[in-house]
Every structure is written in structure tokens, then in C-alpha cells.
Amino acid sequence: MTHVATPLPAEMPLRIGDPEDFARVRTALRQSGFEESAVYQALSKAGFCFEDDPLASPTRSAGVTEFGPLIELFVEQKDVPRKQLDHFLAADTITSLLNLDLVRISESDPSKYYSPVVLYPINGLLIASDYYKPPQEGRPQPVDSVYPALHSFGLLRVISRTRVSSALDLCSGTAVFGLAMSKDAEQVLASDITARSTHFGLFNRCLNGCTNVRIVQGDLYEAAGGESFDRIVAHPPYMPTFVNAGVGQTWRDAGPSGEELVEAIIRSLPKYLRSGGEFFATFMARESDQAPVEQRARAWLDGSPDEFDVIFASKKQLSIRQVISVVQEKSHSPTDIDPAKLEASVRALGFSHYVSGIVGIRRHNAAGKPWTFRTELSRLTDECSFRHAFDWNGRRADPVSNARRLRPALAPGLSVTETCIVDHGKLKPEKLILEADWPFHHTVKTDMWIRAILEHFSGRSTVGEVYAKLTSTHTLPSGLSLAHFVDLVSTFVGRGYLDVTTSS
Ligand SMILES: C[S@@+](CC[C@H](N)C(=O)[O-])C[C@H]1O[C@@H](n2cnc3c(N)ncnc32)[C@H](O)[C@@H]1O
């Protein structure tokens, strides 16, 4: 898919000023209580929706009730009396804020300041973006509006934190992922198609003093040239337009199917992702029972799909009608959309619904059987979750002789519920429900004999020893071989019911 890069508009907020101005503002904001908890409380109060995403609820403090002038100015987008801010910050900090165009003197009331952008702390970074509210009078929302990183918590939280040599942030917007990855990568490239996002990305790089991040304007991988990367992260636009809707929002509209960009990004992974490298992206796509999104993503991998393991962690399932309604509500020219016809056309392609979530793809280091895994995000899914699934699913190919020597223990987050039936007037245990929220959300209703297996794993006995003991006491169903038993235990480890971190 080829896009024409947007030319740099003459009128853009934020000035890439002197390093001293950036350093002064950075220090002053950090020392002034401009904290994540206060900012998120103010955002929630202002009606900001952190999506109904299990991962997207940032830490909130119950203590903060009054928001200072910085939150009014940068988060609530209010005009603030100059006297108030001049009293709150040192004179040289105000000068630096004006120099960087983070603050302006109001044209209509020169006794007040306003900010032409939204500015907030996120993941230890200070990020400037465009507004998150509907456009205000006199401040129209540009089509290349810079997407607020406040919607990007979910993906931020799952990106691996191991040291790598190079990382790529595609469709970077504010460059929030690139800047976050700069803590763990020697070199980072962040690239976005619009001049406006590129400008904001450069500004944010300077504001956070991340000298190892290059910010470049380009269409998808264009800026990467011949480079390849150990870690690639993308949050591309993924909303379908269904019809050719004309000029839409660059951050949101992703062509008629909504899958054009994410498909193009995954297609090129064999070229840009190094061996052992990992890719993470958040998106929404169509699927059905016959064509689940993780299998569709695998099929997109051009050339060498067998070198890749694919995990899709779902966040939310949406009906075709729900997606059509969102598009009708938000897009610029929705009037010619006929929901019934559109739904029929999506169904005719073999899809039954949409699903949103995060895909993780790892390229093998060594030859191995590729595998594909579907799971569900939970509020505890974190930067170790995908790694756990990648490592553990990879180990399932190990010979039974290796796996039987593991010494699993009950995972601390496992919850077990026993359900009973009434049998001859008495309660009789019937089923067991196992549930865990790390690495992902998994729940299963299973048979009572599973309880005996779980009770024998305390980290002391090996899988082989527990199998021998349970076989001698006839606790296991007859005919359950050691290989099947090992497979069952492996599934429980993969799902977070059992833990092998302390195993030898
Ligand atoms: C949903 S926003 C995400 C921004 C940022 N990654 C984040 O999560 O906060 C999508 C971004 O993709 C950019 N974009 C759209 N089409 C693109 C393309 N063909 N190549 C590169 N970037 C693109 C938009 O300008 C926008 O900044």
C-alpha cells in the first residue's frame, strides 16, 4: 500500500528549541507533582475513556482531589491565569515553556496562558500529543492529528524489556513506543507517515532526552531501508472505512477492510525481523471459527511462515454491526453506508465478527516446529507474559524425558473452584474450575481427578515421580500414558496454573 507523505504544514505547534529549555522543563515538571496518578484522575474526571481494556487502567491515586495549574493547562486544556502559573513555576521555566511553544499567551485574553497541545506523563516519559477531546471552537482537529499515547497503555505494558541491539516503532505517532523501548535497546528507529507526528516525535525525543532514538517520516518500513531489528512494535490505524470515504483521519482510517496496514506490516516481518526477534502489534481484524485471526496473521507472513511462532491475545469481540456503527458515528462521510449491505458483504467473505487484541510474533533462533496460540489479555498480562508463552510453547517440543524431570509447583495466582451436584440428598463434588490471570486469562472446567495432580505439585517432586505415584494409587484415568501426562502438565504450565520457574 503506497501513501503520499503529508507535507509539513506551516502552522504547527511545538518548537524544537534549545536542549537547556528541554532539560529545564523536564526537571521542573517532574518536581511539580505532575504525576501519572494525578493526571489520570483528572482525565477520568474529564470523561476520558481509557477504553474498556483490561490492560488500560493506569494506576490512580485516591488522594488527589485538587488539580494544580499544570493539569488544568496541559491535561484539562483550560486557559490558566498567567499570575497563577507565574507564581507556581520559576520565571526561567515559564520562559522555556514559551520558547518550546508548550505554553502560549492567549490571543483573546492576554492575562491567560493556554497550551496548544496535550502533555502528560506516561511510563516515566513526558509525551505531547494533540487533543483527545472533540475539537474545541477555534481549535479544529487536523486530519493528521497526533494520536494521544493515552490509548496505548495495553501495548506499552506487554512489550518485552530484555536488552536488545535495535528496535523499530512503526506508525509511531508521538513515538511513545520508540521512546519507551530506548531504555532497553541500543538504537531505536521510530517512523510515521505524517509530518505532524514526525515533528511531535522529534519534540518528545528532545523533551525526554532519548538520544538513541531516530525519528523519521516514512510509509511503513520505508525509513528502515535495508536495516533489520530485534524488536518491532506497531500500533497502526485499523478502523475499516468500508467505502472509499475520502479524506479521513490518518491515525484511524485504514482502508475499506481496516486490515490493509496491519497485513502489510506482518507480510514484511520476514524481511525486517531478525532471528530471535519479537514483534508486537495492537489491532482489530475480522475472523470466524474457520479463520481465527492468529491463523490469518500466520498466513500473512510472506515466504517463510514456518520460522515464526504466533500468539494472539484477544481483548474484545465485536459484532459486525457494532463496528459499522462506530464507523458511522465517527467517520467523516458516513451517510452512504448501508449497514445491512455492509454486514452481508463482510459475511460473504466468510467472517462472522471482529476481534481486537495484541499479536506477538517471534522468529525462531533455531530450527523448531512453528506453533500458533490463542489466548486472552487479562489485567495482569505484562512484559513477561508473551515471553513466557513463547518460551514455554517452544519447550513443549522437548522430549518427554526432559519434561518429566521438571518440578512444577502450584502457581500463586491459580484459583480453583469446586462445583458440586446433589447426589442422593448429599453434595457430591462434580467439576473443578481452574482460573489464572497470568500470563494471560485462562479458565477451564475440568474433572475432579485433576485436583489430585495439582495437590502433588509443590516444587519438590518431578513430573515423572508424580506420574508414578498417581498410577500406583490408580488415581489417574486408566490408559493415561506418561507422554499424555507430561502434555497435560505442560498445558497447565502454559496457562499459568502451574509454575516451573524454580525447577531444575
Ligand atoms: C493509532 S495511531 C498510533 C500512534 C502511536 N503508535 C501510539 O500508539 O500512540 C496510528 C499512527 O499511524 C500513522 N500512520 C498511518 N498510516 C501510516 C503509514 N502508511 N505508514 C506509517 N505510519 C502511518 C498515523 O499517522 C498515526 O500516527
Side-chain angles (χ1 to χ4, degrees), residues 344-366:
S345 67
V346 176
R347 287 195 184 280
L349 292 170
F351 300 113
S352 54
H353 60 269
Y354 285 80
V355 64
S356 68
I358 296 178
V359 72
I361 297 181
R362 177 147 85 175
R363 190 170 203 158
H364 293 152
N365 250 332

Side-chain angles (χ1 to χ4, degrees), residues 97 153 169 213 218 306 347 388-389 397 417 474:
L97 285 169
F153 278 106
D169 175 5
V213 182
D306 287 355
R347 287 195 184 280
H388 178 274
T417 314
H474 306 286

Side-chain angles (χ1 to χ4, degrees), residues 167-170 187-191 213-216 223-224 227 229:
L168 172 65
D169 175 5
L170 281 178
Q187 293 297 325
V188 180
L189 175 64
S191 162
V213 182
R214 274 181 300 146
I215 311 273
V216 183
E227 278 179 73
F229 303 87

Side-chain angles (χ1 to χ4, degrees), residues 3 147 149 152 171-173 176-177 192-194 197 218-220 235-237 250-251 261:
H3 291 257
Y147 185 80
S152 306
C171 301
S172 53
V176 61
F177 297 126
D192 194 284
I193 197 158
T194 75
S197 285
D219 182 7
L220 298 186
H235 179 185
T250 321
W251 57 266
L261 287 158

Side-chain angles (χ1 to χ4, degrees), residues 24-35 38-39 42 66-81 84-90 93-94 97 102-103 113-115 117-121 126 132:
R24 191 173 294 124
V25 166
R26 186 163 63 231
T27 310
L29 292 185
R30 284 190 181 143
Q31 288 172 351
S32 313
F34 194 56
E35 299 289 342
V39 168
E66 280 191 19
F67 307 120
L70 293 178
I71 290 182
E72 287 179 18
L73 186 71
F74 292 127
V75 180
E76 297 180 332
Q77 301 162 30
K78 289 183 181 158
D79 290 0
V80 167
Q84 197 188 345
L85 197 68
D86 291 347
H87 180 72
F88 192 76
L89 293 174
T93 304
I94 301 272
L97 285 169
L102 273 169
V103 163
Y113 290 123
Y114 75 96
S115 175
V117 296
V118 193
L119 180 75
Y120 36 84
L126 282 166
Y132 57 89

Side-chain angles (χ1 to χ4, degrees), residues 4 28 47 225 257 377 410 422:
V4 180
S257 76
L377 294 170
L410 293 175
V422 178

Side-chain angles (χ1 to χ4, degrees), residues 258-380:
E259 293 169 6
E260 278 84 347
L261 287 158
V262 68
E263 181 179 337
I265 290 170
I266 293 179
R267 273 200 185 288
S268 291
L269 285 179
K271 181 165 174 205
Y272 293 101
L273 190 65
R274 293 180 184 163
S275 274
E278 289 171 348
F279 166 77
F280 301 95
T282 186
F283 65 100
M284 178 181 78
R286 301 162 299 182
E287 70 167 2
S288 65
D289 288 349
Q290 293 69 38
V293 86
E294 61 277 14
Q295 294 295 353
R296 300 190 61 220
R298 168 170 295 291
W300 289 336
L301 286 160
D302 259 351
S304 40
D306 287 355
E307 288 176 35
F308 296 86
D309 298 325
V310 179
I311 300 172
F312 183 72
S314 69
K315 177 171 89 178
K316 195 170 163 188
Q317 188 165 312
L318 295 105
S319 70
I320 299 172
R321 275 298 170 104
Q322 276 175 308
V323 173
I324 295 170
S325 303
V326 174
V327 172
Q328 275 187 304
E329 224 173 273
K330 301 208 168 151
S331 95
H332 282 276
S333 48
T335 43
D336 51 352
I337 290 183
D338 174 346
K341 263 196 200 161
L342 280 186
E343 179 171 357
S345 67
V346 176
R347 287 195 184 280
L349 292 170
F351 300 113
S352 54
H353 60 269
Y354 285 80
V355 64
S356 68
I358 296 178
V359 72
I361 297 181
R362 177 147 85 175
R363 190 170 203 158
H364 293 152
N365 250 332
K369 207 163 162 270
W371 50 264
T372 309
F373 182 59
R374 173 70 168 247
T375 182
E376 200 182 313
L377 294 170
S378 86
R379 66 198 160 79
L380 296 184

